[in-house]
């Protein structure tokens, strides 16, 4: 029941966050008419990507980092650009970045990520149920009485390796999704150089490590290093 309740709450947040929660913390302003908005609208129409609107978000009030994303579902879907992103990138670069995000949608990466998150949560609750007041487990530690607090301690201690493995597998899938979204952007905009330039600028703004150790990437990176993404783009 906890798993079902948490899943419903997560799905509820996916729908309600873009229109209720996020505006509490950031200001969303409709993008002004002009070359950028026209280019984005034309690209979205070419790809059959329906949306409620295109907005600029005041991300600069908390960070110098740049980002772009779309939120919501159906008629509530909206494209959001950080104001820092708009200031530092050309129109072609911004369209390429948005094409990457739309690529995630077209390749069903978002659906897959949500599904994996739900299944992972289910696995966690299932394993937790095996630990709660498990008399055999307590006997193995020579404890005569069961305790919910001790059960949670055992669960946290023994679930950690499983969580690490799940995290690594999730990162492998996430990095693959990034390559696929990059490829989608290049094939639909036909402007690889714009995407490469955008990635370089984003890496500077986000203080990315250009040459991380492969083991560190394998264990903890949800996105491929920028240089590897550029090499992949060059081979498309």
């Amino acid at each position: 029941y906890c798993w079902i309740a948490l899943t419903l709450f997560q799905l509820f947040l996916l729908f309600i966050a873009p229109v209720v929660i996020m505006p509490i913390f950031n200001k969303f302003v409709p993008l002004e008419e002009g070359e950028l908005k026209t280019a984005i609208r034309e690209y979205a129409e070419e790809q059959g990507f329906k949306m409620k609107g295109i907005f600029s978000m005041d991300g600069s009030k908390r960070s110098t980092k740049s980002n772009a994303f779309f939120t919501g579902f159906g008629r509530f879907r909206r494209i959001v650009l950080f104001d820092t992103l708009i200031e530092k990138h050309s129109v072609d670069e911004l369209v390429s970045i948005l094409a990457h995000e739309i690529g995630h949608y077209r390749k069903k990466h978002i659906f897959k990520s949500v599904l994996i998150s739900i299944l992972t949560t289910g696995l966690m609750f299932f394993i937790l149920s095996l630990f709660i007041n498990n008399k055999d487990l307590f006997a193995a530690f020579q404890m005569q009485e069961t305790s919910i607090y001790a059960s949670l301690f055992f669960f946290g201690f023994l679930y950690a390796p499983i969580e690490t493995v799940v995290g690594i597998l999730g990162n492998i899938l996430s990095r693959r999704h990034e390559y696929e979204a990059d490829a989608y952007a290049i094939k639909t905009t036909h402007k690889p150089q714009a995407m490469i330039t955008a990635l370089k600028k984003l890496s500077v703004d986000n203080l990315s490590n250009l040459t991380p150790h492969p083991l560190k990437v394998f264990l903890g990176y949800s996105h491929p290093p920028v240089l590897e993404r550029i090499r992949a783009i060059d081979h498309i």
Side-chain angles (χ1 to χ4, degrees):
Y1 293 109
C2 291
W3 177 40
I4 295 174
L6 184 58
T7 297
L8 292 176
F9 180 68
Q10 288 177 324
L11 294 176
F12 172 74
L13 284 180
L14 286 176
F15 284 93
I16 202 68
V19 294
V20 176
I21 299 176
M22 294 181 68
I24 296 175
F25 301 98
N26 291 96
K27 184 178 180 181
F28 292 82
V29 179
L31 193 64
E32 296 180 358
E33 294 293 336
E35 181 184 4
L36 175 58
K37 189 171 185 177
T38 299
I40 293 173
R41 186 185 293 119
E42 289 178 351
Y43 175 80
E45 289 176 354
E46 288 176 2
Q47 301 305 311
F49 184 80
K50 297 180 180 180
M51 57 187 173
K52 183 179 181 181
I54 308 169
F55 296 82
S56 172
M57 190 186 88
D58 59 343
S60 59
K61 75 176 186 179
R62 289 191 176 88
S63 172
T64 59
K65 292 184 177 181
S66 301
N67 197 10
F69 59 94
F70 73 86
T71 64
F73 295 89
R75 66 187 182 90
F76 294 109
R77 189 187 300 141
R78 58 177 64 183
I79 288 177
V80 180
L81 303 170
F82 278 34
D83 52 359
T84 50
L85 192 74
I86 297 174
E87 292 173 2
K88 299 177 181 179
H89 293 264
S90 68
V91 171
D92 285 345
E93 291 164 8
L94 289 167
V95 172
S96 294
I97 293 170
L98 287 173
H100 172 93
E101 298 303 325
I102 292 176
H104 282 307
Y105 172 78
R106 287 298 185 199
K107 296 293 184 179
K108 302 187 184 304
H109 295 162
I110 298 172
F111 171 78
K112 293 176 183 177
S113 296
V114 172
L115 179 60
I116 290 173
S117 176
I118 292 173
L119 294 176
T120 301
T121 303
L123 174 65
M124 182 190 70
F125 276 115
F126 172 72
I127 296 176
L128 176 61
S129 70
L130 300 179
F131 281 82
I132 297 297
N133 295 328
N134 187 316
K135 294 182 179 180
D136 293 333
L137 176 64
F138 280 81
F141 285 91
Q142 298 183 354
M143 298 177 66
Q144 296 180 352
E145 296 183 2
T146 60
S147 166
I148 185 66
Y149 304 108
S151 297
L152 292 174
F153 173 80
F154 292 145
F155 166 76
F157 181 74
L158 298 175
Y159 183 72
I162 299 175
E163 186 177 31
T164 298
V165 173
V166 171
I168 291 174
L169 294 176
N171 284 333
I172 291 173
L173 182 62
S174 177
R175 291 195 297 271
R176 181 182 299 175
H177 286 172
E178 292 303 316
Y179 284 125
E180 291 178 355
D182 284 346
Y184 179 91
I186 300 307
K187 292 176 181 178
T188 55
T189 63
H190 309 291
K191 295 180 179 179
Q193 192 55 50
M195 187 67 186
I196 290 174
T197 303
L199 287 174
K200 290 179 179 179
K201 290 182 180 180
L202 286 171
S203 68
V204 172
D205 293 339
N206 298 332
L207 303 178
S208 301
N209 184 352
L210 298 180
T211 56
H213 192 281
L215 181 59
K216 186 175 182 180
V217 174
F218 176 76
L219 293 176
Y221 273 45
S222 61
H223 286 55
V226 172
L227 292 180
E228 291 186 13
R229 292 176 68 177
I230 292 175
R231 292 191 192 101
I233 290 173
D234 286 335
H235 287 86
I236 294 176

